Amino acid sequence: MATSPPLLCLTVTTLLVIFNQCIAGVNTASTIPPKIGKGYRLISIEESPDGGLVGHLQVKQKNSIYGPDIPLLQLYVKHETEDRLRVHITDAEKQRWEVPYNLLPREQPPPLKQSIGRLRKNPVAESEYSSSELIFSYKSDPFGFAVKRKSSGETLFDSSSDGSDPYGDLVFKDQYLEISTKLPKEASLYGLGENTQPHGIKLYPNDPYTLYTTDVSAINLNTDLYGSHPVYMDLRNVGGQASAHAVLLLNSNGMDVVYRGDSLTYKVIGGVFDFYFFAGPSPLAVVDQYTALIGRPAPMPYWALGFHQCRWGYHNLSVVEDVVENYKKAKIPLDVIWNDDDHMDFHKDFTLNPISYPREKLLAFLDKIHSQGMKYIVLIDPGISVNSTYGVYQRGIANDVFIKYEGKPYLAQVWPGAVNFPDYLNPKTVDWWVDEIKRFHELVPVNGLWIDMNEASNFCSGLCTIPKGKQCPTGTGPGWICCLDCKNITTSRWDDPPYKINASGLQVPIGFKTIATSAVHYNGVLEYDAHSLYGFSETIATHIALQGLEGKRPFILTRSTFVGSGHYAAHWTGDNKATWDDLKYSISTMLNFGIFGVPMVGSDICGFYPAPTEELCNRWIELGAFYPFSRDHANFYSPRQELYQWESVAESARNALGMRYKLLPYLYTLNYEAHMSGAPIARPLFFSFPNLAEFYGLSTQFLLGSSVMVSPVLEEGKSEVKVLFPPGTWYSLFDMTQAIVSKESHYLTLDAPLHVINVHLYQNTILPMQQGGLISKEARTTPFSLIVTFPAGANEGEAKGNLYLDDDELPEMKLGNGYSSYVDFYSSVSDGTVKMWSDVEESKFALENGWTIERVTVLGLEGFGGKFALEVDGIPVVDTSKVEISATEQKFPQELEDGGDKKKSMMVDITGLELPVGKKFKMSWKLRSSG
């Protein structure tokens, strides 16, 4: 849903505030401020009972820039695992705000002022503390610490500074914390979101990186957006050998991160320094270690990997029914139909508009689509309408669930007008929210929930009251115009902190168009501290509610995210624009969220507003069909853009979504791998080719899993695409007789007429596919085929792949419960023989569902001979008369045929198989050289 005007609108007052700050010399993220103070000295250090280190730091020279220094700090260092190091720095005498341990479970640091044995009053100037992978070392005066990789001695993080550095030593004040690290210039950094990065997936020196959850349209570049993810991955390449590590600063307060190319500085307006270092050394290992801490990605139901259709502006139920019917007529796959807030009664959560969406007719519609396997999802916003006749509000007031300001529920305005915001840090609020979702599900049996506006978004700023004698909202004009009577709150240091982060890219006050930062949550927690956790806490409460309904696997789509959100929900990238630039930006944002541990992510296909051109919508569905989360979504004020609105777009959709639905078993297996190890579904190419530096900034192509490469057209008027191919053999998934062979990375220009997207499968892979269909429930019942890829012209080689199957209604995604099966596939070419076999874990579920493999296609063989043999569960299959084997010579682009040493390569197709997926099989045949 659009939540603000197409571009960020600022009041004249706000602009004057910014102007006056500039005149007064208040620094912004883009200027270099003077160094602040002389840092701290380490005055004691001792081993803690849990095997870590606890020390104390004393400020060297006090100053009042951004407030007084905290005089004494507690340092806690621990190797929590072999590849994860924690460095925690806080006030030694007073408890400070931290991300709540019940929201993000993790080890607790030692309590303050605990007896830690005899303190070394004069700690050695430098000392080291190591695990098997990482070494922590420190200097005591001024205090600085470094983290090194044990295997190579390479410094990963170094907080010490000298006079020539553009940053100073450690600063720790109540509302301003600063720490920096040196970086080698060749380091490639990724992360620090959420923002729309115009330069691609690599962080770009001197771009602003501000982290503070904000309802700012995603069309705004280099601006703090809906989520806060203070983590970066650092990829380095020394002599052609890559190593990756990651650094998380677990802190929910607003911050600017200044990246200069050879250094990085955090400027944080509260909380503590709670650093986690992840050793890698591969990008996949980094994400594995990161999600082991923050929570593994949520398992998605199978249908969630199908195609979704939504629009803000489906005015009544008959429009929704027509959309579903038109998708069927156009033979375009569709699994899920969505409602924005159109189904609501005057925009109120958990209600139905009795005229536009009468309950009896809606229930009949849902019965119909549910019987076909389709699903229905609706939107809810956190703002609860202040309305004495509204049961949700009445029960909220009775249970005292709302965020307070001076003892009263804080008043804001969103779509229904005046609202209060639930305080999800309060256990009573969670109980109330769970109950409201249960009540709503009894009213409408939705299959998932879409939680929007949860940054939190507010159409007003400051302290507001409901105006007397006038209607608010008026019911005419844009719904986002503030109509409450409001006054600015600038009296407290929470609303007007001494350091101004670069909020909204314009250094607006941090309470601008959100909850006032001096408002109070449960147990006296300030919105100032908890602001960026709001959407995360709502996501957790919603997950608890959905999981408790019918014991089914929840599906939640959330706009605002924080560290750990992927453990509960999927994400879409917010209000994008129907432009070619936004089409391109969507890839970088998607890839970043995979690194953040939120693999189920996608952008509004065809753009949220304004109207896309027909050509753009063609290209966008070709790309969007391969987003992990694939949904077309449009603005209330835009013309209709369902994929059947243009015949040319419908054709592109049938092609691209047709392939997606064939790939559903692969995508679902990637979903399982993500849940088990954090592995992103969509990945940058450097995840599979980390030693090749030419891929470190590549933001126009991506991988699904380790082996499927998607190379979309991203420019207007183009009928070809320039693709960077890593070394090896790549086979076109749409025409497997076509192959690209590359000894070294090189660009190749491929044909890409309007309805074509280039998707390639890498060598040494076994890819499970099914026959597709118009809905995932049907596609899931079709026979399997296996695509086996060897390097072109292979007479030696190995390939492998896997397949995960389960009852996707179950909350847990795991083996061993009797409702799941896992199959490993292997193939080899050696000594003139091709072999293929499977290994099955938990065969029962696959056998009960009757899945079979009917086809095996092997790509890249040097030739084909005879003597085909097959056995199932160790028993030879004597009668193979139904099995047909054919061979086709593969083709290569002309410009590579002239290399002179290209081998002949065959595609061998084996059909007529009836192999039960749940049984182990072996097959073999002779390879006959055609030379």
Side-chain angles (χ1 to χ4, degrees):
M1 179 191 288
T3 53
S4 55
L7 292 171
L8 177 72
C9 285
L10 300 174
T11 63
V12 173
T13 307
T14 306
L15 291 170
L16 284 172
V17 167
I18 296 165
F19 178 74
N20 290 334
Q21 286 175 350
C22 294
I23 295 295
V26 176
N27 73 282
T28 69
S30 60
T31 59
I32 298 176
K35 296 180 185 180
I36 302 170
K38 303 291 184 184
Y40 285 73
R41 70 168 63 90
L42 183 68
I43 58 170
S44 69
I45 193 159
E46 192 65 60
E47 198 169 308
S48 60
D50 63 358
L53 295 176
V54 175
H56 287 93
L57 309 174
Q58 188 174 61
V59 70
K60 292 188 66 172
Q61 183 178 315
K62 293 182 179 180
N63 67 72
S64 59
I65 303 171
Y66 303 135
D69 297 279
I70 291 176
L72 193 65
L73 304 178
Q74 177 174 288
L75 165 73
Y76 172 61
V77 183
K78 188 181 180 191
H79 292 284
E80 293 190 337
T81 70
E82 290 301 319
D83 41 37
R84 182 172 85 226
L85 169 70
R86 184 183 191 184
V87 178
H88 182 277
I89 303 173
T90 188
D91 188 331
E93 298 174 304
K94 288 183 189 169
Q95 195 71 41
R96 286 182 64 78
W97 165 258
E98 297 187 45
V99 174
Y101 284 78
N102 63 329
L103 279 191
L104 194 67
R106 59 202 189 278
E107 290 184 31
Q108 294 260 15
L112 303 177
K113 295 184 180 177
Q114 72 162 17
S115 173
I116 55 171
R118 186 175 55 82
L119 298 177
R120 270 187 260 158
K121 291 296 180 188
N122 296 302
V124 290
E126 293 191 40
S127 191
E128 290 189 348
Y129 167 60
S130 69
S131 72
S132 66
E133 296 296 332
L134 295 172
I135 300 169
F136 172 84
S137 63
Y138 62 82
K139 295 178 181 176
S140 48
D141 190 8
F143 173 75
F145 72 89
V147 179
K148 296 179 183 176
R149 190 182 296 284
K150 197 168 190 178
S151 58
S152 64
E154 187 177 23
T155 299
L156 308 184
F157 192 95
D158 182 1
S159 75
S160 300
S161 77
D162 56 47
S164 63
D165 292 320
Y167 52 85
D169 290 304
L170 172 70
V171 180
F172 205 115
K173 299 167 185 282
D174 190 25
Q175 288 182 267
Y176 183 78
L177 285 63
E178 182 182 311
I179 196 168
S180 303
T181 179
K182 296 177 174 66
L183 291 167
K185 284 200 170 174
E186 67 273 12
S188 295
L189 266 56
Y190 310 87
L192 297 180
E194 174 182 14
N195 61 24
T196 301
Q197 296 172 200
H199 298 107
I201 52 175
K202 269 178 70 168
L203 298 187
Y204 197 79
N206 303 315
D207 273 355
Y209 295 98
T210 298
L211 280 65
Y212 190 71
T213 62
T214 307
D215 174 13
V216 174
S217 173
I219 69 171
N220 292 274
L221 306 179
N222 290 323
T223 300
D224 45 309
L225 296 180
Y226 313 107
S228 175
H229 295 272
V231 62
Y232 68 84
M233 179 188 289
D234 180 335
L235 181 61
R236 303 180 186 179
N237 194 311
V238 179
Q241 275 300 115
S243 62
H245 67 276
V247 179
L248 166 67
L249 171 56
L250 187 57
N251 182 303
S252 64
N253 289 83
M255 68 181 81
D256 289 330
V257 185
V258 182
Y259 173 47
R260 303 178 188 88
D262 57 0
S263 68
L264 186 142
T265 299
Y266 297 90
K267 302 179 175 198
V268 194
I269 61 172
V272 302
F273 285 130
D274 194 2
F275 282 105
Y276 291 85
F277 299 89
F278 305 92
S282 70
L284 268 180
V286 165
V287 182
D288 186 358
Q289 294 153 15
Y290 181 59
T291 56
L293 172 71
I294 68 166
R296 299 297 193 194
M300 293 293 149
Y302 202 89
W303 52 262
L305 292 161
F307 182 69
H308 304 243
Q309 177 61 52
C310 184
R311 176 182 172 78
W312 178 29
Y314 286 149
H315 300 294
N316 57 51
L317 179 58
S318 64
V319 177
V320 176
E321 290 172 321
D322 283 349
V323 170
V324 171
E325 197 54 40
N326 283 325
Y327 266 93
K328 260 188 208 146
K329 281 181 189 169
K331 293 187 165 46
I332 300 171
L334 179 65
D335 258 77
V336 190
I337 187 73
W338 295 56
N339 265 128
D340 203 299
D341 71 350
D342 303 291
H343 66 286
M344 296 181 186
D345 185 23
F346 291 103
H347 306 287
K348 298 194 299 290
D349 280 347
F350 308 123
T351 63
L352 284 179
N353 184 312
I355 296 167
S356 305
Y357 284 83
R359 181 169 182 256
E360 291 309 313
K361 288 187 177 178
L362 179 59
L363 292 180
F365 168 69
L366 294 185
D367 282 344
K368 180 181 174 184
I369 66 167
H370 284 159
S371 69
Q372 297 163 359
M374 281 188 65
K375 307 296 180 182
Y376 177 63
I377 293 174
V378 300
L379 172 142
I380 48 174
D381 292 336
I384 300 299
S385 176
V386 175
N387 184 325
S388 60
T389 65
Y390 175 36
V392 178
Y393 172 74
Q394 292 170 331
R395 291 184 289 273
I397 290 292
N399 286 285
D400 193 23
V401 304
F402 298 116
I403 292 170
K404 301 280 181 50
Y405 189 89
E406 295 180 344
K408 297 177 183 175
Y410 177 75
L411 194 72
Q413 181 190 326
V414 202
W415 298 111
V419 299
N420 296 151
F421 286 116
D423 174 12
Y424 299 102
L425 299 183
N426 185 340
K428 280 202 305 184
T429 306
V430 176
D431 292 342
W432 162 81
W433 188 250
V434 167
D435 180 61
E436 294 302 338
I437 288 176
K438 181 172 180 285
R439 288 169 183 264
F440 180 60
H441 192 266
E442 289 167 357
L443 184 75
V444 186
V446 295
N447 303 106
L449 287 173
W450 171 17
I451 51 177
D452 193 11
M453 309 284 283
N454 51 354
E455 292 71 34
S457 178
N458 180 1
F459 297 160
C460 302
S461 301
L463 185 61
C464 303
T465 56
I466 298 173
K468 292 178 180 173
K470 68 173 183 178
Q471 186 179 337
C472 174
T474 62
T476 60
W480 53 70
I481 302 299
C482 179
C483 57
L484 300 178
D485 289 337
C486 303
K487 62 179 183 180
N488 285 336
I489 308 173
T490 55
T491 51
S492 86
R493 62 193 179 103
W494 310 117
D495 298 295
D496 187 23
Y499 176 78
K500 316 296 186 228
I501 62 170
N502 193 25
S504 299
L506 292 163
Q507 221 187 28
V508 302
I510 56 173
F512 179 72
K513 295 294 182 79
T514 188
I515 300 167
T517 41
S518 53
V520 179
H521 291 255
Y522 178 67
N523 269 354
V525 169
L526 287 167
E527 169 70 9
Y528 179 88
D529 293 315
H531 171 82
S532 287
L533 296 172
Y534 191 77
F536 180 45
S537 60
E538 184 197 16
T539 302
I540 294 172
T542 306
H543 191 271
I544 293 168
L546 289 183
Q547 199 156 47
L549 281 178
E550 298 173 312
K552 290 184 178 179
R553 190 174 302 174
F555 178 83
I556 301 165
L557 185 73
T558 180
R559 191 170 73 179
S560 186
T561 58
F562 186 71
V563 175
S565 286
H567 188 56
Y568 304 97
H571 173 65
W572 94 108
T573 63
D575 296 351
N576 60 0
K577 207 169 184 180
T579 68
W580 292 92
D581 280 344
D582 283 71
L583 174 67
K584 182 172 67 178
Y585 302 151
S586 73
I587 296 177
S588 297
T589 310
M590 169 181 69
L591 297 179
N592 262 329
F593 270 89
I595 293 170
F596 297 151
V598 190
M600 189 66 167
V601 59
S603 295
D604 285 348
I605 291 169
C606 297
F608 184 62
Y609 64 85
T613 64
E614 185 174 347
E615 182 190 1
L616 176 63
C617 207
N618 268 280
R619 293 309 191 187
W620 212 317
I621 185 53
E622 288 168 7
L623 167 58
F626 298 96
Y627 292 153
F629 173 63
S630 184
R631 184 183 73 157
D632 181 313
H633 180 42
N635 187 308
F636 186 94
Y637 300 98
S638 300
R640 297 283 289 273
Q641 64 182 45
E642 292 83 7
L643 303 178
Y644 54 77
Q645 297 288 349
W646 303 267
E647 181 44 44
S648 71
V649 176
E651 185 178 342
S652 293
R654 285 188 289 267
N655 290 344
L657 288 173
M659 180 57 73
R660 180 190 183 89
Y661 273 62
K662 290 175 184 175
L663 288 171
L664 285 176
Y666 178 65
L667 291 172
Y668 194 66
T669 302
L670 293 177
N671 172 32
Y672 172 70
E673 290 178 4
H675 180 56
M676 300 308 292
S677 70
I681 296 172
R683 308 172 190 175
L685 268 76
F686 67 74
F687 267 63
S688 286
F689 304 94
N691 293 334
L692 303 177
E694 57 267 36
F695 292 96
Y696 289 5
L698 186 64
S699 307
T700 53
Q701 300 162 224
F702 61 95
L703 293 171
L704 292 174
S706 60
S707 307
V708 174
M709 183 171 71
V710 182
S711 308
V713 172
L714 301 172
E715 295 177 69
E716 187 174 11
K718 298 284 184 175
S719 58
E720 54 187 29
V721 62
K722 195 176 177 186
V723 179
L724 183 56
F725 281 94
T729 304
W730 294 87
Y731 298 94
S732 168
L733 259 189
F734 284 94
D735 179 359
M736 286 182 275
T737 65
Q738 300 282 334
I740 306 286
V741 180
S742 167
K743 285 188 175 175
E744 296 179 351
S745 304
H746 74 283
Y747 276 101
L748 188 62
T749 300
L750 303 180
D751 286 341
L754 189 60
H755 306 304
V756 169
I757 181 168
N758 281 276
V759 181
H760 289 86
L761 179 62
Y762 195 47
Q763 64 188 35
N764 309 324
T765 301
I766 301 178
L767 179 72
M769 297 175 73
Q770 284 173 287
Q771 293 178 358
L774 295 181
I775 191 166
S776 65
K777 182 182 178 182
E778 293 171 4
R780 204 178 178 191
T781 63
T782 61
F784 280 85
S785 58
L786 301 176
I787 316 301
V788 184
T789 60
F790 292 110
N795 52 27
E796 295 283 334
E798 294 182 344
K800 60 184 179 180
N802 46 45
L803 174 65
Y804 175 80
L805 301 159
D806 75 354
D807 177 350
D808 71 318
E809 296 278 86
L810 294 178
E812 290 191 86
M813 190 180 216
K814 64 179 184 181
L815 288 169
N817 59 5
Y819 294 96
S820 55
S821 295
Y822 188 84
V823 187
D824 281 305
F825 298 108
Y826 303 93
S827 189
S828 68
V829 183
S830 180
D831 299 326
T833 302
V834 183
K835 295 178 182 176
M836 186 171 178
W837 66 100
S838 68
D839 193 13
V840 183
E841 285 184 68
E842 308 287 335
S843 62
K844 175 174 168 279
F845 180 73
L847 291 173
E848 285 174 351
N849 280 273
W851 282 301
T852 60
I853 299 163
E854 73 161 21
R855 182 177 201 149
V856 172
T857 302
V858 187
L859 309 177
L861 295 177
E862 188 183 49
F864 173 72
K867 296 191 178 175
F868 179 79
L870 176 65
E871 63 178 57
V872 176
D873 273 353
I875 300 169
V877 177
V878 178
D879 181 8
T880 57
S881 59
K882 291 183 181 176
V883 177
E884 295 184 7
I885 304 173
S886 61
T888 309
E889 189 167 346
Q890 291 180 302
K891 301 167 192 167
F892 300 84
Q894 181 63 43
E895 51 213 276
L896 290 179
E897 285 188 351
D898 301 332
D901 60 349
K902 182 181 65 64
K903 295 178 180 177
K904 192 170 188 178
S905 182
M906 307 294 289
M907 178 176 86
V908 175
D909 220 12
I910 305 168
T911 58
L913 298 166
E914 294 176 353
L915 302 175
V917 171
K919 292 188 177 182
K920 297 180 183 181
F921 69 82
K922 289 181 183 177
M923 67 175 75
S924 63
W925 65 92
K926 289 294 179 186
L927 185 69
R928 183 181 64 222
S929 173
S930 56

